[in-house]
Amino acid sequence: MSDLTVIVLAAGNGKRMKSKLPKVLHSIGGRSMVGHVLTAVQALEPDRVVTVVGHAREQVMAHIEQTHPHVAIAVQEEQLGTGHAARIGLSASGATTGDVLVLTADTPLLTGETLRWFVERHRSGNRAVSILTAEVPDPTGYGRIVRAHGGDVNAIVEDKDATEEQRAIAEINSGILAFDIDFLTSALPRLGNANASGEYYLTDAVKLAAEDGVRTGGYLLEDRLQTEGANDRVQLAALGQALNRRTVERWMREGVTVIDPATTWIHVDVELARDVTILPGVQLLGATIVGEDALIGPDTTLTDCEVGAGAHVARTHASLSVIGDGADVGPFAHLRPGTVLGARGKIGGFVETKNAQIGEGAKVPHLSYVGDATIGEGANIGAGTIFANYDGVKKHHTSIGAHVKSGSNVTFVAPVTVGDGAGTGAGSLIRQDVPAGAMALSAGPQRVIEGWAQAKRAGTAQAAAAEAAVAEGVLIRGERTPGEHEASHNGGTQIGDTPAGATQS
Ligand code: UD1
Ligand code: CA
């Protein structure tokens, strides 16, 4: 909108939050309250936007510079009231023509569409000042809209200054006002502070307009949640829930199946493709993106993740990770930052990954830790495998080639590299590089000490079971042994041509 200046008031301290964090930095739907308001403002494409900061200004300024770098910032050293704050904002803006939209920074459900509608009403009605109003069941604390018979607004009376009769008015000031700049410039220096709070009220400009005989307009917004502010954490949670309901409904209308909207939480910046299905207990957070036909949940939290088309992600906690098309994750998987799972790959139950690139069709199906690793396409990592990446001082990388088959319970001690098509035997401790196609076995030969239970655990159920089996001549379960024990039962090598215990999946 051309010739429009926006002033966002964010200098107050938000005492009722009882927080180290300034009120306007509390977030819902994955975005701070001031971030929501500035995003709505940005949709108007105004000429200038100024945010007035004061309380905890360093934190608020740093946040705005990061999220909305084009927004100017003005400092209100002492919080003398909304009228004083608007004056500081206006002079910082340098604006001299057009209209000025003033809003507070704590109405996170406000949309750009609503602001556009309101400014258009203000302009087409040719008003000196317009107020966006709402009707609320409990108007306590708000400024009340006092209308003249013709419908123009005569005054906004603050709760603390209102008479009994005025307190009964249900129509309230949302805190969002639009001004003709000439009127605002003339009104601001005329505001006084002789009121119950001793503050310069911006809302008193309405009374001045009525006295000046210029037109005022009060425009009622049906969707009152958009004008609701969060002053404490109870209201913050209620607005967070309302925002989430809106976000979830928006995605359902876009073709996403949500089985249980009540337990599905979706941040405002998340992107979902059509025919995604979300099962109960899912949180899609940050800048998460989910591709077509993916099935997410139940009980899954994805923060800043990218999930490919047709992937399945069940009971998983993941952040800053990429899950390829058709890949399968969980249940009970933990994907830490830097995990990249290729198309049709698998990260199965009780697997933790971090900074791990797992190739197409590669599988880490069970009970493993994969940190600082590259796993080639089609490789299969056996159950219980640990990538020992940390030597106590530094982290090191492990590289596993394409189509490697690693046995169960292998430890790869980084830095180490396993060539394409190689294998590692169950229980191996891999400290040295394994060439392509080789089989590496490090588990020692098995030692068998016959009669150990009878000798060392005499009198126990274990020893009794052993004695009974020996008496029957059944040394191996199910196999009746011939009279002579064979050498292989007594410390011979156990290595066959396939390493026992390699996990298939
Ligand atoms: C204000 C309005 C009230 C309206 C309500 C809507 C005034 C006098 N009253 O009341 O009519 O119904 O909002 O929520 O405007 N701020 C500053 N500097 C200051 C004082 C406030 O930047 O010196 C900022 C606050 O950070 C906040 C906003 O202005 O974002 C509103 O201030 P607040 O003190 O919350 O006003 P209310 O009493 O809620
Ligand atoms: Ca307020």
Side-chain angles (χ1 to χ4, degrees), residues 16 23 104 106 231:
R16 281 174 286 168
K23 173 168 95 167
T104 62
D106 66 348
N231 295 302

Side-chain angles (χ1 to χ4, degrees), residues 188-244:
L188 287 174
R190 289 188 277 155
L191 299 176
N193 64 353
N195 51 51
S197 307
E199 288 184 2
Y200 295 91
Y201 292 162
L202 179 61
T203 46
D204 282 349
V206 175
K207 199 168 53 200
L208 293 176
E211 285 166 12
D212 288 359
V214 293
R215 295 210 67 186
T216 63
Y219 301 109
L220 182 79
L221 183 68
E222 294 288 342
D223 180 12
R224 68 181 164 79
L225 281 179
Q226 284 198 46
T227 65
E228 238 167 68
N231 295 302
D232 62 26
R233 303 203 202 208
V234 175
Q235 290 171 334
L236 187 72
L239 284 181
Q241 209 163 28
L243 177 65
N244 188 59

Side-chain angles (χ1 to χ4, degrees), residues 39 43 119 187 260 266 297 314 347 377 390 393 419 449 466 484:
T39 302
V119 174
D260 183 16
I266 303 178
I347 294 175
E377 62 172 43
Y390 185 47
V393 183
I449 304 164
E484 288 292 307

Side-chain angles (χ1 to χ4, degrees), residues 283-477:
Q283 295 100 45
L284 301 176
L285 311 179
T288 292
I289 299 174
V290 182
E292 212 165 281
D293 297 318
L295 174 64
I296 313 291
D299 302 330
T300 291
T301 303
L302 306 180
T303 307
D304 299 321
C305 288
E306 195 182 318
V307 179
H312 286 192
V313 185
R315 292 187 205 279
T316 289
H317 194 90
S319 55
L320 284 165
S321 294
V322 177
I323 295 167
D325 292 351
D328 193 352
V329 176
F332 307 108
H334 184 192
L335 277 56
R336 293 166 49 204
T339 298
V340 179
L341 177 61
R344 295 169 305 285
K346 181 179 175 72
I347 294 175
F350 304 101
V351 172
E352 177 178 333
T353 60
K354 184 215 65 169
N355 186 25
Q357 292 80 52
I358 302 172
E360 267 187 48
K363 295 177 175 176
V364 188
H366 329 274
L367 299 153
S368 293
Y369 172 63
V370 182
D372 300 309
T374 310
I375 296 177
E377 62 172 43
N380 189 86
I381 304 300
T385 294
I386 302 299
F387 286 62
N389 58 330
Y390 185 47
D391 62 10
V393 183
K394 274 201 206 150
K395 305 283 172 70
H396 302 278
H397 190 84
T398 297
S399 176
I400 305 289
H403 298 283
V404 164
K405 303 291 173 220
S406 101
S408 295
N409 207 34
V410 169
T411 303
F412 292 105
V413 181
V416 73
T417 297
V418 178
D420 292 348
T424 58
S428 292
L429 185 64
I430 305 296
R431 294 174 175 280
Q432 280 140 26
D433 292 350
V434 179
M439 168 59 68
L441 304 162
S442 80
Q446 180 171 314
R447 258 178 89 205
V448 174
I449 304 164
E450 291 204 4
W452 181 91
Q454 301 89 315
K456 303 287 190 186
R457 295 288 182 268
T460 65
Q462 181 188 1
E467 274 158 18
V470 172
E472 278 182 56
V474 182
L475 289 194
I476 306 288
R477 217 161 168 59

Side-chain angles (χ1 to χ4, degrees), residues 9-12 76 79-82 85 104-105 142-143 158 173-174 201 203:
L9 306 183
Q76 186 189 23
Q79 283 76 63
L80 303 178
T82 51
T104 62
Y142 287 101
E158 292 305 309
N173 168 27
S174 67
Y201 292 162
T203 46

